[in-house]
């Protein structure tokens, strides 16, 4: 039994495919060990709507692609002690940023929904419901300060575990070698 106070852990899903969260779930039975060290206070796998105050560690999957992501990441940064960019989309933009060469948001939507998409040619828009695309997808550190970077598409579960074990022990994560740093 672990008697030390639990860390408040959050995981955040921005412009990504959820593969990084799937890799987190690939920690399998170690998640049970992890649960004795952390309280999961916000996550797409938990039913919490608003990012809370006083988070010790936030793992952020995905790039910043729309106004909603921008709002969330500022709230995450303001309320988290350690913010980790989890996966290549968060670290570089990666797959989410593949739309950038299409041009600004209006041009991108025009090409996808009208020129090459829905024959009815309707661009989805519903203020307050459909998030507004940014003109350019950017990685998390382009918007807020990031404390740690964990590359990989997705980062393999052992790499996530190694980083979590180090942070829980108050150590610097071992950020050397292809096992920890390889992209893709
Ligand atoms: S880094 Fe890879 S697995 Fe993670 S959200 Fe991006 S595309 Fe998906």
């Amino acid at each position: 039994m672990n008697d030390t106070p639990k860390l408040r852990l959050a995981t955040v899903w921005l412009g990504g495919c959820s593969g990084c969260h799937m890799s987190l779930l690939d920690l399998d039975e170690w998640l049970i060990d992890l649960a004795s060290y952390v309280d999961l206070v916000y996550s797409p796998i938990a039913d919490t709507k608003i990012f809370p105050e006083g988070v010790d560690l936030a793992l952020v999957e995905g790039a910043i692609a729309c106004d909603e992501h921008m709002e969330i990441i500022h709230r995450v940064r303001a309320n988290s002690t350690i913010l980790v960019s989890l996966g290549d989309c968060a670290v570089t933009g990666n797959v989410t940023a593949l739309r950038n060469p299409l041009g600004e948001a209006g041009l991108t939507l025009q090409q996808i929904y009208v020129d090459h998409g829905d024959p009815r040619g309707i661009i989805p828009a519903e203020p307050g419901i459909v998030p507004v695309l940014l003109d350019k997808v950017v990685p998390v550190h382009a918007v807020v300060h990031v404390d740690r970077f964990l590359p990989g598409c997705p980062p393999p579960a052992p790499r996530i575990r190694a980083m979590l074990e180090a942070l829980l022990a108050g150590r610097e994560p071992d950020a050397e070698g292809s096992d920890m740093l390889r992209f893709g």
Side-chain angles (χ1 to χ4, degrees):
M1 187 71 185
N2 171 37
D3 292 329
T4 54
K6 289 185 172 184
L7 286 184
R8 288 165 60 78
L9 172 68
T11 78
V12 183
W13 182 15
L14 301 179
C17 72
S18 89
C20 293
H21 272 83
M22 294 302 107
S23 202
L24 189 64
L25 294 179
D26 274 347
L27 288 166
D28 297 332
E29 67 271 16
W30 190 73
L31 288 170
I32 296 171
D33 295 339
L34 181 63
S36 65
Y37 293 96
V38 303
D39 280 327
L40 187 63
V41 294
Y42 179 90
S43 175
I45 58 171
D47 192 21
T48 315
K49 307 297 184 210
I50 306 291
F51 194 88
E53 297 178 351
V55 170
D56 295 302
L57 176 58
L59 308 179
V60 178
E61 168 189 325
I64 311 296
C66 66
D67 61 346
E68 187 178 67
H69 298 157
M70 193 64 87
E71 185 183 326
I72 293 170
I73 198 60
H74 282 296
R75 182 166 175 83
V76 170
R77 179 66 279 179
N79 291 286
S80 305
T81 304
I82 298 176
L83 191 159
V84 176
S85 276
L86 178 70
D88 290 352
C89 289
V91 176
T92 70
N94 193 36
V95 174
T96 313
L98 288 176
R99 75 158 162 96
N100 285 346
L102 295 177
E104 47 87 11
L107 276 174
T108 299
L109 291 168
Q110 170 73 24
Q111 289 172 77
I112 292 171
Y113 284 99
V114 180
D115 299 346
H116 306 298
D118 191 330
R120 293 169 301 167
I122 299 171
I123 295 175
E126 191 62 49
I129 296 177
V130 178
V132 178
L133 290 190
L134 302 180
D135 282 335
K136 186 177 177 191
V137 176
V138 293
V140 173
H141 66 272
V143 179
V144 296
H145 175 72
V146 169
D147 300 294
R148 301 282 185 284
F149 296 88
L150 198 67
C153 182
R159 190 182 297 181
I160 298 174
R161 175 174 171 172
M163 184 200 64
L164 288 174
E165 285 180 325
L167 292 176
L168 289 172
R171 288 188 282 108
E172 274 298 309
D174 176 14
E176 291 183 4
S178 65
D179 280 352
M180 288 298 286
L181 288 177
R182 187 168 49 79
F183 286 78

